[in-house]
Amino acid sequence: TFYIFPKALEDDAKAFCQKALKYDLALVPGDSFGCPGYFRAAYCIKTETIERSLPLFKKLAEEYRK
């Protein structure tokens, strides 16, 4: 399995992952993996699934611009 650990858009990665769920993005806080402030995302999925998630990540990021 392949994972990435990007920086969450807020200090509380758990809260960030909860907000991501509103956009159907299943992310895991990095705290449990020794990476507080980051989140874990798996990318061992179909390319089409990743491509469909990109606009959802954009919507999530826009929530933080407000």
Side-chain angles (χ1 to χ4, degrees):
T1 307
F2 298 96
Y3 302 102
I4 58 172
F5 283 85
K7 180 106 174 92
L9 296 178
E10 63 179 277
D11 292 335
D12 186 345
K14 291 178 186 177
F16 176 77
C17 291
Q18 280 298 118
K19 287 180 185 173
L21 284 174
K22 294 190 306 187
Y23 299 95
D24 294 325
L25 296 168
L27 308 174
V28 180
D31 303 61
S32 300
F33 306 98
C35 299
Y38 291 78
F39 65 92
R40 184 180 85 166
Y43 62 95
C44 56
I45 54 179
K46 293 181 180 181
T47 302
E48 296 82 20
T49 303
I50 294 171
E51 290 171 344
R52 282 195 314 267
S53 74
L54 294 176
L56 303 174
F57 273 105
K58 184 176 179 182
K59 287 180 183 180
L60 174 61
E62 288 171 355
E63 185 172 328
Y64 286 90
R65 288 189 192 156
K66 296 176 183 176

